[in-house]
Amino acid sequence: MLLLAFGVLFTAVLHLVAAVPSLKARFKQRVGEKAYGPVFGIASLIGIGLIVLGWRASDFVFVYDPPAWGRHANYLLTLVAFIFLGIFLFRGSWRQTVRFPMAFAAIFWATGHLLANGDLASIILFGGFLVYAVLHIIIGTANGVRPSPVVREGHNLLSVLGGIALYGIMTQLHMALIGVPVFQLS
């Protein structure tokens, strides 16, 4: 569980840098303007790798019994999360309105999964991302962070359609990627 917790903390701290413009600028200056994107991307992949390895190595430790309706709420909240992910990715005008679509996606995703899972690894992973996302919105708002002013016309509808499509893909790949089936038909 320590590896999982470290992976979540590493990823959260790395992404909170983006919520503080002065820290982000110093980081960009230190690694170089052109290298910033690739370095940030590689560091993010390392964080995700640590999370996946930590998750797979974690034993099941019961903490609480999730509500009976939690699994169904998770389906809906995760769908909403993927729509917010679509808003982030497709960069329509809704991205300007929402300001932090990826953080809201993490909030919906984490909340849904906390309603469906009651084990310690889930609390570390989803609870950690929930705390991170709320902090990102608070710190980003306090620092006046805004999304890129570039708006792609007509991409609001694509945001929703793309989010729904990604949700559908993830429901199919969840077992292969995460090791847990989304739907149990038996």
Side-chain angles (χ1 to χ4, degrees):
M1 301 257 184
L2 194 56
L3 184 60
L4 175 62
F6 178 75
V8 171
L9 181 63
F10 176 80
T11 303
V13 169
L14 178 69
H15 284 80
L16 283 173
V17 167
V20 182
S22 61
L23 289 176
K24 185 176 180 180
R26 272 192 266 160
F27 188 65
K28 273 186 174 182
Q29 183 182 18
R30 181 162 288 183
V31 299
E33 188 77 29
K34 289 185 179 183
Y36 171 76
V39 168
F40 189 85
I42 290 168
S44 296
L45 288 174
I46 290 169
I48 291 169
L50 291 171
I51 290 169
V52 169
L53 291 173
W55 177 266
R56 291 186 180 252
S58 295
D59 293 324
F60 181 85
V61 178
F62 176 83
V63 176
Y64 65 90
D65 210 7
W69 49 265
R71 189 173 185 89
H72 300 291
N74 185 33
Y75 297 146
L76 177 62
L77 291 171
T78 302
L79 173 61
V80 172
F82 271 94
I83 291 171
F84 274 95
L85 176 63
I87 291 169
F88 173 79
L89 293 174
F90 286 93
R91 300 172 189 265
S93 64
W94 289 346
R95 188 169 195 229
Q96 297 294 325
T97 304
V98 175
R99 267 182 88 177
F100 301 100
M102 189 63 117
F104 282 110
I107 289 169
F108 284 108
W109 170 78
T111 302
H113 282 77
L114 286 170
L115 289 171
N117 301 288
D119 62 292
L120 184 57
S122 293
I123 293 170
I124 291 169
L125 176 61
F126 304 117
F129 270 96
L130 180 60
V131 169
Y132 148 72
V134 170
L135 284 174
H136 188 94
I137 291 169
I138 291 168
I139 293 169
T141 300
N143 284 287
V145 173
R146 301 279 318 166
S148 165
V150 176
V151 172
R152 297 178 183 155
E153 293 301 319
H155 280 227
N156 289 339
L157 179 59
L158 285 176
S159 297
V160 174
L161 296 176
I164 292 170
L166 289 171
Y167 176 78
I169 291 167
M170 189 59 188
T171 61
Q172 299 303 306
L173 295 178
H174 201 271
M175 179 62 186
L177 297 174
I178 312 302
V180 179
V182 172
F183 300 105
Q184 294 177 348
L185 300 175
S186 57

Coordinates of all heavy atoms in Angstrom, one line a residue, residues 107-149:
I107 N -13.0 14.4 -9.4 CA -14.0 14.4 -8.3 C -15.1 13.5 -8.5 O -15.4 12.7 -7.6 CB -14.5 15.9 -8.0 CG1 -13.4 16.7 -7.4 CG2 -15.7 15.9 -7.1 CD1 -13.7 18.2 -7.4
F108 N -15.7 13.5 -9.7 CA -16.8 12.6 -10.0 C -16.4 11.1 -10.0 O -17.0 10.3 -9.4 CB -17.5 13.0 -11.3 CG -18.4 14.2 -11.2 CD1 -18.1 15.4 -11.7 CD2 -19.6 14.1 -10.5 CE1 -18.9 16.5 -11.6 CE2 -20.5 15.2 -10.4 CZ -20.1 16.4 -11.0
W109 N -15.2 10.9 -10.6 CA -14.7 9.5 -10.7 C -14.4 9.0 -9.4 O -14.7 7.9 -9.0 CB -13.4 9.6 -11.6 CG -12.6 8.4 -11.7 CD1 -12.8 7.2 -12.4 CD2 -11.3 8.2 -11.0 NE1 -11.8 6.4 -12.2 CE2 -10.9 6.9 -11.3 CE3 -10.6 9.0 -10.1 CZ2 -9.7 6.4 -10.8 CZ3 -9.4 8.5 -9.7 CH2 -8.9 7.2 -10.0
A110 N -13.7 9.8 -8.5 CA -13.3 9.3 -7.2 C -14.5 9.1 -6.3 O -14.6 8.1 -5.6 CB -12.3 10.3 -6.6
T111 N -15.4 10.0 -6.3 CA -16.6 9.9 -5.5 C -17.4 8.7 -5.8 O -17.8 7.9 -5.0 CB -17.5 11.2 -5.6 OG1 -16.7 12.3 -5.2 CG2 -18.7 11.0 -4.7
G112 N -17.6 8.4 -7.1 CA -18.3 7.2 -7.6 C -17.6 6.0 -7.1 O -18.2 5.0 -6.6
H113 N -16.3 5.9 -7.2 CA -15.5 4.7 -6.8 C -15.5 4.5 -5.3 O -15.5 3.4 -4.8 CB -14.1 4.7 -7.4 CG -14.1 4.3 -8.9 ND1 -14.5 5.2 -9.9 CD2 -13.8 3.2 -9.5 CE1 -14.4 4.6 -11.0 NE2 -14.0 3.4 -10.8
L114 N -15.5 5.6 -4.6 CA -15.6 5.5 -3.1 C -17.0 5.0 -2.6 O -17.1 4.3 -1.6 CB -15.3 6.8 -2.4 CG -13.8 7.3 -2.4 CD1 -13.7 8.7 -2.0 CD2 -13.0 6.3 -1.6
L115 N -18.0 5.3 -3.4 CA -19.3 4.8 -3.1 C -19.5 3.3 -3.5 O -20.3 2.6 -3.0 CB -20.4 5.6 -3.9 CG -20.6 7.0 -3.4 CD1 -21.6 7.7 -4.4 CD2 -21.2 7.0 -2.0
A116 N -18.6 2.8 -4.4 CA -18.7 1.4 -4.8 C -17.7 0.5 -4.2 O -17.8 -0.7 -4.2 CB -18.5 1.3 -6.3
N117 N -16.6 1.0 -3.5 CA -15.6 0.2 -3.0 C -15.3 0.6 -1.5 O -15.2 1.8 -1.2 CB -14.3 0.4 -3.8 CG -14.4 0.0 -5.2 OD1 -14.5 -1.1 -5.6 ND2 -14.5 1.0 -6.1
G118 N -15.1 -0.3 -0.7 CA -14.9 0.0 0.7 C -13.6 -0.6 1.3 O -13.5 -0.8 2.5
D119 N -12.6 -0.8 0.4 CA -11.3 -1.3 0.9 C -10.3 -0.2 1.0 O -10.4 0.9 0.5 CB -10.8 -2.4 0.0 CG -10.6 -1.9 -1.4 OD1 -11.5 -1.5 -2.1 OD2 -9.4 -1.8 -1.9
L120 N -9.2 -0.5 1.8 CA -8.2 0.5 2.0 C -7.5 1.0 0.8 O -7.2 2.2 0.7 CB -7.1 -0.1 3.0 CG -6.0 0.9 3.5 CD1 -6.6 2.1 4.2 CD2 -5.1 0.1 4.5
A121 N -7.1 0.1 -0.1 CA -6.5 0.6 -1.4 C -7.4 1.6 -2.1 O -6.9 2.6 -2.7 CB -6.1 -0.6 -2.3
S122 N -8.7 1.3 -2.2 CA -9.6 2.2 -2.8 C -9.6 3.6 -2.1 O -9.7 4.6 -2.8 CB -11.0 1.6 -2.9 OG -11.0 0.5 -3.7
I123 N -9.6 3.6 -0.8 CA -9.6 4.8 -0.1 C -8.4 5.6 -0.3 O -8.4 6.8 -0.6 CB -9.8 4.6 1.5 CG1 -11.2 4.0 1.7 CG2 -9.6 5.8 2.3 CD1 -11.4 3.5 3.1
I124 N -7.2 4.9 -0.4 CA -6.0 5.6 -0.7 C -6.0 6.2 -2.1 O -5.7 7.4 -2.3 CB -4.8 4.7 -0.5 CG1 -4.6 4.3 1.0 CG2 -3.5 5.3 -1.1 CD1 -3.6 3.2 1.2
L125 N -6.4 5.4 -3.1 CA -6.4 5.8 -4.5 C -7.5 6.9 -4.7 O -7.1 8.0 -5.1 CB -6.6 4.6 -5.4 CG -6.7 5.0 -6.9 CD1 -5.5 5.7 -7.4 CD2 -7.0 3.7 -7.7
F126 N -8.7 6.5 -4.5 CA -9.8 7.4 -4.9 C -9.9 8.6 -3.9 O -10.2 9.7 -4.3 CB -11.1 6.7 -5.0 CG -11.0 5.5 -6.0 CD1 -11.1 4.2 -5.6 CD2 -10.7 5.8 -7.3 CE1 -11.0 3.2 -6.4 CE2 -10.6 4.7 -8.2 CZ -10.7 3.4 -7.8
G127 N -9.7 8.3 -2.6 CA -9.7 9.4 -1.6 C -8.6 10.4 -1.9 O -8.7 11.6 -1.8
G128 N -7.4 9.9 -2.2 CA -6.2 10.7 -2.5 C -6.5 11.6 -3.7 O -6.2 12.8 -3.7
F129 N -7.1 11.0 -4.8 CA -7.4 11.8 -6.0 C -8.5 12.8 -5.7 O -8.5 13.9 -6.3 CB -7.7 10.9 -7.2 CG -6.5 10.6 -8.0 CD1 -5.8 9.4 -7.8 CD2 -6.0 11.5 -8.9 CE1 -4.7 9.1 -8.5 CE2 -4.8 11.2 -9.6 CZ -4.2 10.0 -9.4
L130 N -9.5 12.5 -4.9 CA -10.5 13.4 -4.5 C -9.9 14.6 -3.8 O -10.3 15.8 -4.1 CB -11.6 12.7 -3.6 CG -12.8 13.5 -3.2 CD1 -13.6 14.1 -4.3 CD2 -13.7 12.7 -2.3
V131 N -9.1 14.4 -2.8 CA -8.4 15.5 -2.1 C -7.6 16.3 -3.0 O -7.7 17.6 -3.0 CB -7.6 14.9 -0.9 CG1 -6.7 16.0 -0.3 CG2 -8.5 14.3 0.2
Y132 N -6.8 15.7 -3.9 CA -6.0 16.4 -4.9 C -6.9 17.3 -5.8 O -6.6 18.5 -6.0 CB -5.2 15.4 -5.8 CG -5.0 16.0 -7.2 CD1 -4.2 17.0 -7.4 CD2 -5.8 15.5 -8.2 CE1 -4.0 17.6 -8.6 CE2 -5.7 16.0 -9.5 CZ -4.8 17.1 -9.7 OH -4.7 17.6 -10.9
A133 N -8.0 16.8 -6.3 CA -8.8 17.5 -7.2 C -9.4 18.7 -6.6 O -9.5 19.8 -7.2 CB -9.9 16.6 -7.8
V134 N -9.9 18.6 -5.3 CA -10.5 19.7 -4.6 C -9.4 20.8 -4.4 O -9.6 22.0 -4.6 CB -11.1 19.2 -3.3 CG1 -11.5 20.4 -2.4 CG2 -12.4 18.4 -3.6
L135 N -8.2 20.3 -3.9 CA -7.1 21.2 -3.7 C -6.7 22.0 -5.0 O -6.4 23.2 -5.0 CB -5.9 20.5 -3.2 CG -5.9 20.1 -1.7 CD1 -4.7 19.3 -1.3 CD2 -6.0 21.4 -0.8
H136 N -6.7 21.2 -6.1 CA -6.3 21.8 -7.4 C -7.3 23.0 -7.8 O -6.9 24.0 -8.2 CB -6.4 20.8 -8.5 CG -5.8 21.3 -9.8 ND1 -4.5 21.1 -10.2 CD2 -6.4 21.9 -10.8 CE1 -4.4 21.7 -11.4 NE2 -5.5 22.2 -11.8
I137 N -8.6 22.8 -7.6 CA -9.6 23.8 -7.9 C -9.4 25.0 -6.9 O -9.4 26.1 -7.4 CB -11.0 23.3 -7.8 CG1 -11.3 22.3 -8.9 CG2 -12.0 24.4 -7.8 CD1 -12.5 21.5 -8.8
I138 N -9.2 24.7 -5.6 CA -9.0 25.8 -4.7 C -7.7 26.6 -5.0 O -7.7 27.8 -5.0 CB -9.0 25.3 -3.2 CG1 -10.3 24.7 -2.8 CG2 -8.5 26.3 -2.2 CD1 -10.4 23.9 -1.6
I139 N -6.6 25.9 -5.1 CA -5.3 26.6 -5.4 C -5.3 27.3 -6.7 O -4.9 28.4 -6.9 CB -4.1 25.6 -5.3 CG1 -4.0 25.1 -3.8 CG2 -2.8 26.2 -5.8 CD1 -3.1 23.9 -3.6
G140 N -5.9 26.6 -7.7 CA -5.9 27.2 -9.1 C -6.8 28.5 -9.1 O -6.4 29.5 -9.7
T141 N -7.9 28.4 -8.4 CA -8.8 29.6 -8.4 C -8.1 30.7 -7.6 O -8.1 31.9 -8.1 CB -10.1 29.2 -7.6 OG1 -10.8 28.2 -8.4 CG2 -11.1 30.4 -7.6
A142 N -7.5 30.4 -6.5 CA -6.8 31.4 -5.7 C -5.6 32.1 -6.5 O -5.3 33.3 -6.3 CB -6.2 30.8 -4.4
N143 N -5.0 31.3 -7.5 CA -3.9 31.8 -8.3 C -4.4 32.4 -9.6 O -3.5 32.7 -10.5 CB -2.9 30.8 -8.4 CG -2.0 30.6 -7.2 OD1 -1.2 31.4 -6.9 ND2 -2.3 29.5 -6.5
G144 N -5.7 32.4 -9.9 CA -6.2 33.0 -11.1 C -5.9 32.1 -12.3 O -5.9 32.6 -13.4
V145 N -5.8 30.8 -12.2 CA -5.5 29.9 -13.3 C -6.7 29.8 -14.2 O -7.8 29.7 -13.7 CB -5.0 28.5 -12.8 CG1 -4.9 27.6 -13.9 CG2 -3.7 28.6 -12.0
R146 N -6.5 30.0 -15.5 CA -7.6 29.9 -16.5 C -7.1 28.9 -17.6 O -5.9 28.8 -17.8 CB -7.9 31.2 -17.1 CG -8.3 32.3 -16.2 CD -9.7 32.4 -15.8 NE -10.7 32.1 -16.8 CZ -11.9 31.9 -16.5 NH1 -12.3 31.8 -15.3 NH2 -12.8 31.6 -17.5
P147 N -8.0 28.2 -18.2 CA -7.6 27.4 -19.3 C -7.1 28.2 -20.5 O -7.3 29.5 -20.5 CB -8.9 26.7 -19.7 CG -9.9 27.1 -18.8 CD -9.4 28.2 -17.9
S148 N -6.5 27.6 -21.4 CA -6.0 28.3 -22.6 C -7.2 29.0 -23.3 O -8.3 28.5 -23.3 CB -5.4 27.3 -23.6 OG -5.3 27.8 -24.9
P149 N -6.9 30.3 -23.7 CA -8.0 31.0 -24.3 C -8.5 30.5 -25.7 O -9.5 30.9 -26.3 CB -7.5 32.4 -24.4 CG -6.0 32.3 -24.4 CD -5.7 31.0 -23.6

